[in-house]
Amino acid sequence: RKEVEQDPGPFNVPEGATVAFNCTYSNSASQSFFWYRQDCRKEPKLLMSVYSSGNEDGRFTAQLNRASQYISLLIRDSKLSDSATYLCVALSSNTGKLIFGQGTTLQVKP
Amino acid sequence: DARVTQTPRHKVTEMGQEVTMRCQPILGHNTVFWYRQTMMQGLELLAYFRNRAPLDDSGMPKDRFSAEMPDATLATLKIQPSEPRDSAVYFCASGSGQGGRPQHFGDGTRLSIL
């Protein structure tokens, strides 16, 4: 079983739709969590950190449930430019290692 | 914006050849990571350094791969001899090493072994 698991998708949604991605992690020692975005043939880029209280950045909302070891990302009013792969990431504070999920592919269509 | 710099961006070579990939971490970052990404396996951590010291290279095939940090501004990943199954995108990332801080990735080296 992978340490961070995601549904690979693809998620095909129309512009303006709301879409949610889920992620689970198995290592309860993981302390910090992030969502990275990766465009085709590009490097992963930090999208947002995930805080226990939930956090929002514009159209993006991230939530963390430590009891269930579950992370989510909600994208509202999706744009064509949101099409990418979204990587769920857990960081071990002890080692500084990032553990990546396989990624969820989003395709937003006109 | 400070960036992680990787060279070369692309490399095509024949199997059996030595391949060296280089990475310049962001100035002031003390952790450096090497990842490999393929369609099948996703992002895999190969090795990482903190303050130039190797901390974990358990993800790296030891017989042909080696990673070093000769100084704080340069990390290298070598494959010798290279094999077709090494074809992948190799990313370097650096971080400040402080708890909870994310890493920043370079553009990657796209490696094709024929």
Side-chain angles (χ1 to χ4, degrees):
Chain A
R1 185 187 171 200
K2 288 189 178 294
E3 209 167 319
V4 176
E5 294 209 55
Q6 296 179 250
D7 178 350
F11 284 60
N12 294 301
V13 303
E15 269 186 293
T18 296
V19 61
F21 305 140
N22 303 319
C23 166
T24 57
Y25 62 96
S26 59
N27 187 349
S28 59
S30 298
Q31 293 297 311
S32 302
F33 304 91
F34 308 93
W35 284 100
Y36 274 70
R37 170 193 168 129
Q38 187 172 24
D39 293 284
C40 187
R41 302 182 68 79
K42 298 283 190 179
E43 78 277 17
K45 290 184 179 177
L46 178 67
L47 177 65
M48 61 194 301
S49 302
V50 186
Y51 302 119
S52 298
S53 54
N55 50 298
E56 193 173 299
D57 182 0
R59 298 181 292 108
F60 298 83
T61 301
Q63 294 206 310
L64 167 64
N65 183 323
R66 289 189 187 273
S68 303
Q69 295 184 193
Y70 170 95
I71 302 155
S72 66
L73 176 68
L74 183 77
I75 306 176
R76 291 181 300 278
D77 188 23
S78 52
K79 311 289 185 192
L80 296 176
S81 57
D82 294 333
S83 299
T85 297
Y86 291 83
L87 299 161
C88 177
V89 188
L91 172 67
S92 167
S93 295
N94 291 338
T95 64
K97 289 171 66 170
L98 284 180
I99 309 298
F100 285 82
Q102 285 284 89
T104 299
T105 298
L106 171 66
Q107 185 68 42
V108 181
K109 298 191 181 297
Chain B
D1 278 347
R3 289 185 57 83
V4 174
T5 303
Q6 286 186 249
T7 56
R9 293 289 303 277
H10 300 90
K11 177 74 174 180
V12 181
T13 192
E14 294 183 343
M15 65 179 294
Q17 297 297 307
E18 178 178 300
V19 174
T20 299
M21 291 169 273
R22 293 177 173 81
C23 168
Q24 180 176 356
I26 291 173
L27 189 64
H29 281 186
N30 68 339
T31 55
V32 175
F33 301 78
W34 284 105
Y35 293 90
R36 175 172 61 186
Q37 188 173 38
T38 61
M39 288 292 291
M40 295 299 294
Q41 298 296 327
L43 267 167
E44 301 174 278
L45 179 65
L46 296 175
Y48 80 101
F49 297 78
R50 179 176 292 169
N51 297 323
R52 294 178 55 202
L55 287 192
D56 186 346
D57 61 2
S58 59
M60 201 166 67
K62 303 291 191 304
D63 56 337
R64 300 182 299 107
F65 284 61
S66 61
E68 296 180 348
M69 268 200 86
D71 62 60
T73 64
L74 177 64
T76 62
L77 179 67
K78 289 186 181 179
I79 309 174
Q80 170 63 22
S82 57
E83 297 180 2
R85 59 182 167 145
D86 300 330
S87 298
V89 181
Y90 291 81
F91 287 106
C92 175
S94 71
S96 65
Q98 298 174 22
R101 303 298 292 273
Q103 299 163 14
H104 299 270
F105 282 74
D107 291 335
T109 294
R110 281 165 179 75
L111 178 63
S112 295
I113 308 297
L114 306 177

